Amino acid sequence: MKNATPDQKSSTLLNQKDTSANTQRLQIVALINERQSVNTPEFRKLGIMAPAPRIFELRQQGYKIEKVLETYVDDTGKAHSGVARYYFANNPPANDRDQEQAA
C-alpha cells in the first residue's frame, strides 16, 4: 500500500493475523494516532491482549506516551477503576485538556 491513506494503513495493520511484538507496537502507534487515545479494553478488543509491555517498549524507543487512569464500564455493566487510557503526550484526551484549562 505505497500510496495508502493513514486510515487505510491503520486498517491494514489491524487486519493482520501477526501477533508479534513488533506488529503490536505498530498497531498501537497507529491506533493512538487515529483515535487520539485508547484504553486497555479497547486494545484487547482489537487483538492486543497486553498493551502495557508494548507501551513500555515504545517509550524506550522514544515515544512520548502518557496515561490517565479511568473507570471503565464493561459490557456486563461492571465498573472497573484504574483502567489505563494511553495517549501521546502532546495530544491529551479531550477531558484532560478541559481539566487543565479549568485549573
Side-chain angles (χ1 to χ4, degrees):
M1 281 198 152
K2 187 175 182 180
N3 296 320
T5 67
D7 286 342
Q8 289 170 325
K9 288 179 183 177
S10 177
S11 177
T12 299
L13 273 173
L14 291 176
N15 290 328
Q16 291 207 12
K17 303 295 182 204
D18 179 7
T19 59
S20 69
N22 186 59
T23 296
Q24 289 184 16
R25 286 190 296 270
L26 292 170
Q27 291 170 330
I28 287 170
V29 169
L31 284 165
I32 295 174
N33 274 326
E34 179 183 310
R35 298 180 179 199
Q36 181 182 357
S37 67
V38 185
N39 69 23
T40 300
E42 292 167 337
F43 279 126
R44 289 184 179 151
K45 286 180 183 176
L46 295 166
I48 301 169
M49 295 290 116
R54 303 295 83 83
I55 297 289
F56 176 80
E57 294 159 359
L58 286 166
R59 287 174 175 152
Q60 287 185 314
Q61 292 176 9
Y63 285 89
K64 304 295 183 203
I65 299 174
E66 300 290 331
K67 74 175 178 185
V68 293
L69 300 179
E70 63 184 15
T71 298
Y72 172 78
V73 179
D74 67 21
D75 295 338
T76 67
K78 294 178 187 169
H80 303 268
S81 61
V83 174
R85 175 168 292 281
Y86 298 98
Y87 61 93
F88 289 119
N90 62 341
N91 194 19
N95 58 353
D96 281 0
R97 283 192 305 247
D98 296 342
Q99 289 173 1
E100 288 173 7
Q101 290 173 357

